[in-house]
Amino acid sequence: MGRGLLHHIELYVSDLEESLAFWGWFLEELGYESYQKWEQGASWKMDNTYLVFVQTEEKYLDIPYHRKRTGLNHLAFYAESHEDVDVMTRKLIEKGTRILYQDQHPYAGGPDHYAVYFEDPDRIKVEFTVG
């Protein structure tokens, strides 16, 4: 395994079906494979790392998530090239995904940082970047 490597990330989501459609497609585009599935959740795995999505319990749904509050801000994934970012950007737009910082795209992270930034159904920011 590798000491210090990320083992897994678990996200609670407001609408499991919608989140699985969003994340399943994106993660499979990156090479992740479906790993686990149960009534209240599912996961995708690549090598030794996996991402888990679980339906938030009804009693907690009235507490909104916002990436600028304390807690998770965003998840960033490596792209292979500028073209990889461009192809993913087109696919995201075709799927109706909200692209962030469109006026600065693809250099919203600075002149040396080529990436697309977008949001999942719960408005968690996701980054797909060359580096």
PDB file of all heavy atoms in Angstrom, residues 33-64:
ATOM      1  N   GLU A  33     -13.323   2.123 -11.314  1.00  0.00           N
ATOM      2  CA  GLU A  33     -14.300   1.064 -11.543  1.00  0.00           C
ATOM      3  C   GLU A  33     -15.263   0.993 -10.373  1.00  0.00           C
ATOM      4  O   GLU A  33     -14.880   1.254  -9.226  1.00  0.00           O
ATOM      5  CB  GLU A  33     -13.589  -0.281 -11.709  1.00  0.00           C
ATOM      6  CG  GLU A  33     -12.712  -0.334 -12.950  1.00  0.00           C
ATOM      7  CD  GLU A  33     -12.019  -1.674 -13.114  1.00  0.00           C
ATOM      8  OE1 GLU A  33     -12.165  -2.549 -12.232  1.00  0.00           O
ATOM      9  OE2 GLU A  33     -11.337  -1.836 -14.124  1.00  0.00           O
ATOM     10  N   SER A  34     -16.504   0.626 -10.670  1.00  0.00           N
ATOM     11  CA  SER A  34     -17.491   0.432  -9.613  1.00  0.00           C
ATOM     12  C   SER A  34     -16.924  -0.575  -8.623  1.00  0.00           C
ATOM     13  O   SER A  34     -16.378  -1.610  -9.012  1.00  0.00           O
ATOM     14  CB  SER A  34     -18.795  -0.082 -10.216  1.00  0.00           C
ATOM     15  OG  SER A  34     -19.745  -0.271  -9.207  1.00  0.00           O
ATOM     16  N   TYR A  35     -17.032  -0.278  -7.337  1.00  0.00           N
ATOM     17  CA  TYR A  35     -16.379  -1.101  -6.316  1.00  0.00           C
ATOM     18  C   TYR A  35     -17.387  -1.736  -5.354  1.00  0.00           C
ATOM     19  O   TYR A  35     -17.400  -2.928  -5.163  1.00  0.00           O
ATOM     20  CB  TYR A  35     -15.372  -0.231  -5.566  1.00  0.00           C
ATOM     21  CG  TYR A  35     -14.627  -0.890  -4.448  1.00  0.00           C
ATOM     22  CD1 TYR A  35     -13.967  -2.107  -4.617  1.00  0.00           C
ATOM     23  CD2 TYR A  35     -14.555  -0.283  -3.204  1.00  0.00           C
ATOM     24  CE1 TYR A  35     -13.260  -2.694  -3.573  1.00  0.00           C
ATOM     25  CE2 TYR A  35     -13.847  -0.864  -2.155  1.00  0.00           C
ATOM     26  CZ  TYR A  35     -13.217  -2.067  -2.350  1.00  0.00           C
ATOM     27  OH  TYR A  35     -12.518  -2.644  -1.320  1.00  0.00           O
ATOM     28  N   GLN A  36     -18.250  -0.926  -4.753  1.00  0.00           N
ATOM     29  CA  GLN A  36     -19.238  -1.420  -3.808  1.00  0.00           C
ATOM     30  C   GLN A  36     -20.569  -0.735  -4.095  1.00  0.00           C
ATOM     31  O   GLN A  36     -20.593   0.390  -4.579  1.00  0.00           O
ATOM     32  CB  GLN A  36     -18.833  -1.086  -2.368  1.00  0.00           C
ATOM     33  CG  GLN A  36     -17.492  -1.651  -1.965  1.00  0.00           C
ATOM     34  CD  GLN A  36     -16.954  -0.960  -0.716  1.00  0.00           C
ATOM     35  OE1 GLN A  36     -16.996   0.253  -0.596  1.00  0.00           O
ATOM     36  NE2 GLN A  36     -16.444  -1.756   0.213  1.00  0.00           N
ATOM     37  N   LYS A  37     -21.661  -1.410  -3.774  1.00  0.00           N
ATOM     38  CA  LYS A  37     -22.976  -0.807  -3.941  1.00  0.00           C
ATOM     39  C   LYS A  37     -23.905  -1.398  -2.894  1.00  0.00           C
ATOM     40  O   LYS A  37     -23.923  -2.604  -2.687  1.00  0.00           O
ATOM     41  CB  LYS A  37     -23.517  -1.066  -5.345  1.00  0.00           C
ATOM     42  CG  LYS A  37     -24.669  -0.165  -5.711  1.00  0.00           C
ATOM     43  CD  LYS A  37     -24.913  -0.153  -7.202  1.00  0.00           C
ATOM     44  CE  LYS A  37     -25.755   1.059  -7.505  1.00  0.00           C
ATOM     45  NZ  LYS A  37     -25.829   1.395  -8.877  1.00  0.00           N
ATOM     46  N   TRP A  38     -24.646  -0.544  -2.220  1.00  0.00           N
ATOM     47  CA  TRP A  38     -25.637  -0.958  -1.246  1.00  0.00           C
ATOM     48  C   TRP A  38     -26.773   0.045  -1.291  1.00  0.00           C
ATOM     49  O   TRP A  38     -26.691   1.034  -2.021  1.00  0.00           O
ATOM     50  CB  TRP A  38     -25.028  -1.105   0.154  1.00  0.00           C
ATOM     51  CG  TRP A  38     -24.505   0.153   0.770  1.00  0.00           C
ATOM     52  CD1 TRP A  38     -25.134   0.918   1.715  1.00  0.00           C
ATOM     53  CD2 TRP A  38     -23.269   0.812   0.504  1.00  0.00           C
ATOM     54  NE1 TRP A  38     -24.364   2.000   2.053  1.00  0.00           N
ATOM     55  CE2 TRP A  38     -23.197   1.966   1.308  1.00  0.00           C
ATOM     56  CE3 TRP A  38     -22.198   0.555  -0.348  1.00  0.00           C
ATOM     57  CZ2 TRP A  38     -22.133   2.840   1.299  1.00  0.00           C
ATOM     58  CZ3 TRP A  38     -21.128   1.430  -0.366  1.00  0.00           C
ATOM     59  CH2 TRP A  38     -21.100   2.546   0.459  1.00  0.00           C
ATOM     60  N   GLU A  39     -27.837  -0.197  -0.557  1.00  0.00           N
ATOM     61  CA  GLU A  39     -29.040   0.622  -0.657  1.00  0.00           C
ATOM     62  C   GLU A  39     -28.775   2.108  -0.443  1.00  0.00           C
ATOM     63  O   GLU A  39     -29.335   2.947  -1.131  1.00  0.00           O
ATOM     64  CB  GLU A  39     -30.090   0.143   0.350  1.00  0.00           C
ATOM     65  CG  GLU A  39     -31.419   0.849   0.205  1.00  0.00           C
ATOM     66  CD  GLU A  39     -32.464   0.316   1.162  1.00  0.00           C
ATOM     67  OE1 GLU A  39     -32.350  -0.840   1.610  1.00  0.00           O
ATOM     68  OE2 GLU A  39     -33.398   1.077   1.454  1.00  0.00           O
ATOM     69  N   GLN A  40     -27.923   2.453   0.477  1.00  0.00           N
ATOM     70  CA  GLN A  40     -27.694   3.860   0.809  1.00  0.00           C
ATOM     71  C   GLN A  40     -26.384   4.416   0.268  1.00  0.00           C
ATOM     72  O   GLN A  40     -25.967   5.514   0.656  1.00  0.00           O
ATOM     73  CB  GLN A  40     -27.729   4.047   2.332  1.00  0.00           C
ATOM     74  CG  GLN A  40     -29.091   3.771   2.937  1.00  0.00           C
ATOM     75  CD  GLN A  40     -30.160   4.692   2.375  1.00  0.00           C
ATOM     76  OE1 GLN A  40     -29.977   5.887   2.260  1.00  0.00           O
ATOM     77  NE2 GLN A  40     -31.298   4.122   2.010  1.00  0.00           N
ATOM     78  N   GLY A  41     -25.709   3.690  -0.639  1.00  0.00           N
ATOM     79  CA  GLY A  41     -24.448   4.226  -1.139  1.00  0.00           C
ATOM     80  C   GLY A  41     -23.791   3.373  -2.197  1.00  0.00           C
ATOM     81  O   GLY A  41     -24.282   2.310  -2.573  1.00  0.00           O
ATOM     82  N   ALA A  42     -22.653   3.875  -2.659  1.00  0.00           N
ATOM     83  CA  ALA A  42     -21.865   3.175  -3.670  1.00  0.00           C
ATOM     84  C   ALA A  42     -20.458   3.754  -3.656  1.00  0.00           C
ATOM     85  O   ALA A  42     -20.222   4.852  -3.129  1.00  0.00           O
ATOM     86  CB  ALA A  42     -22.491   3.328  -5.054  1.00  0.00           C
ATOM     87  N   SER A  43     -19.522   3.013  -4.249  1.00  0.00           N
ATOM     88  CA  SER A  43     -18.147   3.508  -4.322  1.00  0.00           C
ATOM     89  C   SER A  43     -17.507   3.107  -5.644  1.00  0.00           C
ATOM     90  O   SER A  43     -17.956   2.179  -6.322  1.00  0.00           O
ATOM     91  CB  SER A  43     -17.319   2.976  -3.146  1.00  0.00           C
ATOM     92  OG  SER A  43     -17.178   1.571  -3.233  1.00  0.00           O
ATOM     93  N   TRP A  44     -16.458   3.848  -5.991  1.00  0.00           N
ATOM     94  CA  TRP A  44     -15.636   3.575  -7.167  1.00  0.00           C
ATOM     95  C   TRP A  44     -14.191   3.531  -6.727  1.00  0.00           C
ATOM     96  O   TRP A  44     -13.782   4.283  -5.828  1.00  0.00           O
ATOM     97  CB  TRP A  44     -15.820   4.676  -8.220  1.00  0.00           C
ATOM     98  CG  TRP A  44     -17.053   4.505  -9.036  1.00  0.00           C
ATOM     99  CD1 TRP A  44     -17.140   3.937 -10.268  1.00  0.00           C
ATOM    100  CD2 TRP A  44     -18.375   4.901  -8.683  1.00  0.00           C
ATOM    101  NE1 TRP A  44     -18.449   3.942 -10.692  1.00  0.00           N
ATOM    102  CE2 TRP A  44     -19.228   4.539  -9.734  1.00  0.00           C
ATOM    103  CE3 TRP A  44     -18.934   5.520  -7.570  1.00  0.00           C
ATOM    104  CZ2 TRP A  44     -20.588   4.772  -9.719  1.00  0.00           C
ATOM    105  CZ3 TRP A  44     -20.291   5.759  -7.542  1.00  0.00           C
ATOM    106  CH2 TRP A  44     -21.099   5.388  -8.610  1.00  0.00           C
ATOM    107  N   LYS A  45     -13.410   2.651  -7.360  1.00  0.00           N
ATOM    108  CA  LYS A  45     -12.031   2.419  -6.923  1.00  0.00           C
ATOM    109  C   LYS A  45     -11.065   2.470  -8.100  1.00  0.00           C
ATOM    110  O   LYS A  45     -11.389   2.015  -9.205  1.00  0.00           O
ATOM    111  CB  LYS A  45     -11.946   1.044  -6.249  1.00  0.00           C
ATOM    112  CG  LYS A  45     -10.598   0.723  -5.642  1.00  0.00           C
ATOM    113  CD  LYS A  45     -10.657  -0.578  -4.868  1.00  0.00           C
ATOM    114  CE  LYS A  45      -9.335  -0.827  -4.176  1.00  0.00           C
ATOM    115  NZ  LYS A  45      -9.359  -2.031  -3.348  1.00  0.00           N
ATOM    116  N   MET A  46      -9.883   3.032  -7.840  1.00  0.00           N
ATOM    117  CA  MET A  46      -8.763   2.983  -8.775  1.00  0.00           C
ATOM    118  C   MET A  46      -7.529   2.614  -7.954  1.00  0.00           C
ATOM    119  O   MET A  46      -7.216   3.286  -6.966  1.00  0.00           O
ATOM    120  CB  MET A  46      -8.530   4.314  -9.485  1.00  0.00           C
ATOM    121  CG  MET A  46      -7.361   4.253 -10.476  1.00  0.00           C
ATOM    122  SD  MET A  46      -6.907   5.857 -11.163  1.00  0.00           S
ATOM    123  CE  MET A  46      -8.265   6.135 -12.276  1.00  0.00           C
ATOM    124  N   ASP A  47      -6.864   1.565  -8.345  1.00  0.00           N
ATOM    125  CA  ASP A  47      -5.719   1.054  -7.594  1.00  0.00           C
ATOM    126  C   ASP A  47      -6.139   0.833  -6.139  1.00  0.00           C
ATOM    127  O   ASP A  47      -7.065   0.103  -5.889  1.00  0.00           O
ATOM    128  CB  ASP A  47      -4.508   1.987  -7.717  1.00  0.00           C
ATOM    129  CG  ASP A  47      -4.030   2.113  -9.170  1.00  0.00           C
ATOM    130  OD1 ASP A  47      -4.115   1.113  -9.908  1.00  0.00           O
ATOM    131  OD2 ASP A  47      -3.595   3.204  -9.551  1.00  0.00           O
ATOM    132  N   ASN A  48      -5.490   1.506  -5.196  1.00  0.00           N
ATOM    133  CA  ASN A  48      -5.804   1.290  -3.785  1.00  0.00           C
ATOM    134  C   ASN A  48      -6.646   2.400  -3.177  1.00  0.00           C
ATOM    135  O   ASN A  48      -6.842   2.434  -1.969  1.00  0.00           O
ATOM    136  CB  ASN A  48      -4.502   1.142  -2.981  1.00  0.00           C
ATOM    137  CG  ASN A  48      -3.756  -0.110  -3.369  1.00  0.00           C
ATOM    138  OD1 ASN A  48      -4.358  -1.161  -3.538  1.00  0.00           O
ATOM    139  ND2 ASN A  48      -2.459   0.000  -3.541  1.00  0.00           N
ATOM    140  N   THR A  49      -7.136   3.319  -3.988  1.00  0.00           N
ATOM    141  CA  THR A  49      -7.921   4.450  -3.487  1.00  0.00           C
ATOM    142  C   THR A  49      -9.349   4.342  -3.988  1.00  0.00           C
ATOM    143  O   THR A  49      -9.586   3.986  -5.131  1.00  0.00           O
ATOM    144  CB  THR A  49      -7.302   5.782  -3.975  1.00  0.00           C
ATOM    145  OG1 THR A  49      -5.955   5.852  -3.509  1.00  0.00           O
ATOM    146  CG2 THR A  49      -8.075   6.974  -3.460  1.00  0.00           C
ATOM    147  N   TYR A  50     -10.290   4.662  -3.107  1.00  0.00           N
ATOM    148  CA  TYR A  50     -11.676   4.646  -3.550  1.00  0.00           C
ATOM    149  C   TYR A  50     -12.447   5.832  -2.990  1.00  0.00           C
ATOM    150  O   TYR A  50     -12.066   6.427  -1.982  1.00  0.00           O
ATOM    151  CB  TYR A  50     -12.359   3.315  -3.248  1.00  0.00           C
ATOM    152  CG  TYR A  50     -12.472   2.895  -1.812  1.00  0.00           C
ATOM    153  CD1 TYR A  50     -13.658   3.096  -1.099  1.00  0.00           C
ATOM    154  CD2 TYR A  50     -11.419   2.272  -1.157  1.00  0.00           C
ATOM    155  CE1 TYR A  50     -13.786   2.681   0.208  1.00  0.00           C
ATOM    156  CE2 TYR A  50     -11.533   1.852   0.150  1.00  0.00           C
ATOM    157  CZ  TYR A  50     -12.721   2.062   0.836  1.00  0.00           C
ATOM    158  OH  TYR A  50     -12.836   1.660   2.135  1.00  0.00           O
ATOM    159  N   LEU A  51     -13.523   6.197  -3.684  1.00  0.00           N
ATOM    160  CA  LEU A  51     -14.419   7.266  -3.277  1.00  0.00           C
ATOM    161  C   LEU A  51     -15.778   6.656  -2.978  1.00  0.00           C
ATOM    162  O   LEU A  51     -16.277   5.841  -3.762  1.00  0.00           O
ATOM    163  CB  LEU A  51     -14.560   8.313  -4.375  1.00  0.00           C
ATOM    164  CG  LEU A  51     -13.392   9.296  -4.482  1.00  0.00           C
ATOM    165  CD1 LEU A  51     -12.296   8.705  -5.329  1.00  0.00           C
ATOM    166  CD2 LEU A  51     -13.867  10.591  -5.058  1.00  0.00           C
ATOM    167  N   VAL A  52     -16.357   7.065  -1.850  1.00  0.00           N
ATOM    168  CA  VAL A  52     -17.624   6.523  -1.370  1.00  0.00           C
ATOM    169  C   VAL A  52     -18.663   7.638  -1.335  1.00  0.00           C
ATOM    170  O   VAL A  52     -18.362   8.751  -0.897  1.00  0.00           O
ATOM    171  CB  VAL A  52     -17.472   5.955   0.064  1.00  0.00           C
ATOM    172  CG1 VAL A  52     -18.778   5.347   0.554  1.00  0.00           C
ATOM    173  CG2 VAL A  52     -16.336   4.958   0.129  1.00  0.00           C
ATOM    174  N   PHE A  53     -19.879   7.346  -1.766  1.00  0.00           N
ATOM    175  CA  PHE A  53     -20.991   8.294  -1.751  1.00  0.00           C
ATOM    176  C   PHE A  53     -22.140   7.660  -0.983  1.00  0.00           C
ATOM    177  O   PHE A  53     -22.559   6.554  -1.307  1.00  0.00           O
ATOM    178  CB  PHE A  53     -21.399   8.656  -3.183  1.00  0.00           C
ATOM    179  CG  PHE A  53     -20.232   9.178  -3.966  1.00  0.00           C
ATOM    180  CD1 PHE A  53     -19.432   8.315  -4.692  1.00  0.00           C
ATOM    181  CD2 PHE A  53     -19.906  10.520  -3.920  1.00  0.00           C
ATOM    182  CE1 PHE A  53     -18.321   8.789  -5.377  1.00  0.00           C
ATOM    183  CE2 PHE A  53     -18.803  10.997  -4.601  1.00  0.00           C
ATOM    184  CZ  PHE A  53     -18.012  10.133  -5.332  1.00  0.00           C
ATOM    185  N   VAL A  54     -22.620   8.383   0.026  1.00  0.00           N
ATOM    186  CA  VAL A  54     -23.653   7.862   0.917  1.00  0.00           C
ATOM    187  C   VAL A  54     -24.799   8.869   0.992  1.00  0.00           C
ATOM    188  O   VAL A  54     -24.559  10.082   1.080  1.00  0.00           O
ATOM    189  CB  VAL A  54     -23.080   7.607   2.338  1.00  0.00           C
ATOM    190  CG1 VAL A  54     -24.154   7.088   3.275  1.00  0.00           C
ATOM    191  CG2 VAL A  54     -21.897   6.652   2.279  1.00  0.00           C
ATOM    192  N   GLN A  55     -26.025   8.376   0.971  1.00  0.00           N
ATOM    193  CA  GLN A  55     -27.192   9.234   1.107  1.00  0.00           C
ATOM    194  C   GLN A  55     -27.223   9.851   2.499  1.00  0.00           C
ATOM    195  O   GLN A  55     -27.162   9.144   3.499  1.00  0.00           O
ATOM    196  CB  GLN A  55     -28.481   8.438   0.864  1.00  0.00           C
ATOM    197  CG  GLN A  55     -29.752   9.221   1.108  1.00  0.00           C
ATOM    198  CD  GLN A  55     -29.905  10.380   0.136  1.00  0.00           C
ATOM    199  OE1 GLN A  55     -29.844  10.211  -1.067  1.00  0.00           O
ATOM    200  NE2 GLN A  55     -30.107  11.572   0.674  1.00  0.00           N
ATOM    201  N   THR A  56     -27.314  11.181   2.573  1.00  0.00           N
ATOM    202  CA  THR A  56     -27.450  11.878   3.852  1.00  0.00           C
ATOM    203  C   THR A  56     -28.785  11.492   4.492  1.00  0.00           C
ATOM    204  O   THR A  56     -29.803  11.414   3.812  1.00  0.00           O
ATOM    205  CB  THR A  56     -27.410  13.403   3.638  1.00  0.00           C
ATOM    206  OG1 THR A  56     -26.162  13.743   3.037  1.00  0.00           O
ATOM    207  CG2 THR A  56     -27.569  14.160   4.939  1.00  0.00           C
ATOM    208  N   GLU A  57     -28.772  11.268   5.790  1.00  0.00           N
ATOM    209  CA  GLU A  57     -30.006  10.955   6.508  1.00  0.00           C
ATOM    210  C   GLU A  57     -30.952  12.149   6.443  1.00  0.00           C
ATOM    211  O   GLU A  57     -30.525  13.297   6.463  1.00  0.00           O
ATOM    212  CB  GLU A  57     -29.703  10.634   7.973  1.00  0.00           C
ATOM    213  CG  GLU A  57     -28.924   9.361   8.170  1.00  0.00           C
ATOM    214  CD  GLU A  57     -28.626   9.122   9.645  1.00  0.00           C
ATOM    215  OE1 GLU A  57     -29.538   9.309  10.480  1.00  0.00           O
ATOM    216  OE2 GLU A  57     -27.481   8.749   9.935  1.00  0.00           O
ATOM    217  N   GLU A  58     -32.236  11.861   6.360  1.00  0.00           N
ATOM    218  CA  GLU A  58     -33.283  12.879   6.239  1.00  0.00           C
ATOM    219  C   GLU A  58     -33.134  13.999   7.275  1.00  0.00           C
ATOM    220  O   GLU A  58     -33.268  15.174   6.958  1.00  0.00           O
ATOM    221  CB  GLU A  58     -34.659  12.210   6.381  1.00  0.00           C
ATOM    222  CG  GLU A  58     -35.817  13.122   6.116  1.00  0.00           C
ATOM    223  CD  GLU A  58     -36.066  13.369   4.645  1.00  0.00           C
ATOM    224  OE1 GLU A  58     -35.778  12.486   3.819  1.00  0.00           O
ATOM    225  OE2 GLU A  58     -36.560  14.461   4.329  1.00  0.00           O
ATOM    226  N   LYS A  59     -32.819  13.639   8.510  1.00  0.00           N
ATOM    227  CA  LYS A  59     -32.761  14.642   9.579  1.00  0.00           C
ATOM    228  C   LYS A  59     -31.627  15.648   9.400  1.00  0.00           C
ATOM    229  O   LYS A  59     -31.625  16.684  10.052  1.00  0.00           O
ATOM    230  CB  LYS A  59     -32.665  13.964  10.946  1.00  0.00           C
ATOM    231  CG  LYS A  59     -31.399  13.161  11.176  1.00  0.00           C
ATOM    232  CD  LYS A  59     -31.452  12.471  12.527  1.00  0.00           C
ATOM    233  CE  LYS A  59     -30.257  11.556  12.731  1.00  0.00           C
ATOM    234  NZ  LYS A  59     -30.344  10.876  14.022  1.00  0.00           N
ATOM    235  N   TYR A  60     -30.676  15.370   8.514  1.00  0.00           N
ATOM    236  CA  TYR A  60     -29.558  16.288   8.287  1.00  0.00           C
ATOM    237  C   TYR A  60     -29.663  17.068   6.976  1.00  0.00           C
ATOM    238  O   TYR A  60     -28.822  17.908   6.691  1.00  0.00           O
ATOM    239  CB  TYR A  60     -28.230  15.527   8.305  1.00  0.00           C
ATOM    240  CG  TYR A  60     -27.935  14.873   9.636  1.00  0.00           C
ATOM    241  CD1 TYR A  60     -27.871  13.495   9.741  1.00  0.00           C
ATOM    242  CD2 TYR A  60     -27.746  15.639  10.781  1.00  0.00           C
ATOM    243  CE1 TYR A  60     -27.612  12.884  10.963  1.00  0.00           C
ATOM    244  CE2 TYR A  60     -27.486  15.038  11.999  1.00  0.00           C
ATOM    245  CZ  TYR A  60     -27.413  13.658  12.079  1.00  0.00           C
ATOM    246  OH  TYR A  60     -27.159  13.074  13.279  1.00  0.00           O
ATOM    247  N   LEU A  61     -30.675  16.790   6.184  1.00  0.00           N
ATOM    248  CA  LEU A  61     -30.777  17.412   4.864  1.00  0.00           C
ATOM    249  C   LEU A  61     -31.033  18.916   4.909  1.00  0.00           C
ATOM    250  O   LEU A  61     -30.752  19.618   3.944  1.00  0.00           O
ATOM    251  CB  LEU A  61     -31.864  16.724   4.028  1.00  0.00           C
ATOM    252  CG  LEU A  61     -31.465  15.370   3.456  1.00  0.00           C
ATOM    253  CD1 LEU A  61     -32.669  14.720   2.771  1.00  0.00           C
ATOM    254  CD2 LEU A  61     -30.296  15.485   2.499  1.00  0.00           C
ATOM    255  N   ASP A  62     -31.550  19.427   6.014  1.00  0.00           N
ATOM    256  CA  ASP A  62     -31.833  20.864   6.091  1.00  0.00           C
ATOM    257  C   ASP A  62     -30.594  21.704   6.409  1.00  0.00           C
ATOM    258  O   ASP A  62     -30.653  22.921   6.440  1.00  0.00           O
ATOM    259  CB  ASP A  62     -32.935  21.145   7.110  1.00  0.00           C
ATOM    260  CG  ASP A  62     -32.538  20.757   8.526  1.00  0.00           C
ATOM    261  OD1 ASP A  62     -31.619  19.932   8.684  1.00  0.00           O
ATOM    262  OD2 ASP A  62     -33.150  21.286   9.469  1.00  0.00           O
ATOM    263  N   ILE A  63     -29.451  21.058   6.641  1.00  0.00           N
ATOM    264  CA  ILE A  63     -28.202  21.769   6.911  1.00  0.00           C
ATOM    265  C   ILE A  63     -27.433  21.839   5.594  1.00  0.00           C
ATOM    266  O   ILE A  63     -26.887  20.843   5.137  1.00  0.00           O
ATOM    267  CB  ILE A  63     -27.368  21.038   7.977  1.00  0.00           C
ATOM    268  CG1 ILE A  63     -28.198  20.860   9.249  1.00  0.00           C
ATOM    269  CG2 ILE A  63     -26.078  21.801   8.251  1.00  0.00           C
ATOM    270  CD1 ILE A  63     -27.574  19.929  10.263  1.00  0.00           C
ATOM    271  N   PRO A  64     -27.416  23.006   4.937  1.00  0.00           N
ATOM    272  CA  PRO A  64     -26.802  23.086   3.610  1.00  0.00           C
ATOM    273  C   PRO A  64     -25.271  23.036   3.635  1.00  0.00           C
ATOM    274  O   PRO A  64     -24.640  23.501   4.579  1.00  0.00           O
ATOM    275  CB  PRO A  64     -27.283  24.437   3.079  1.00  0.00           C
ATOM    276  CG  PRO A  64     -27.534  25.246   4.298  1.00  0.00           C
ATOM    277  CD  PRO A  64     -27.977  24.276   5.361  1.00  0.00           C
TER     278      PRO A  64
END
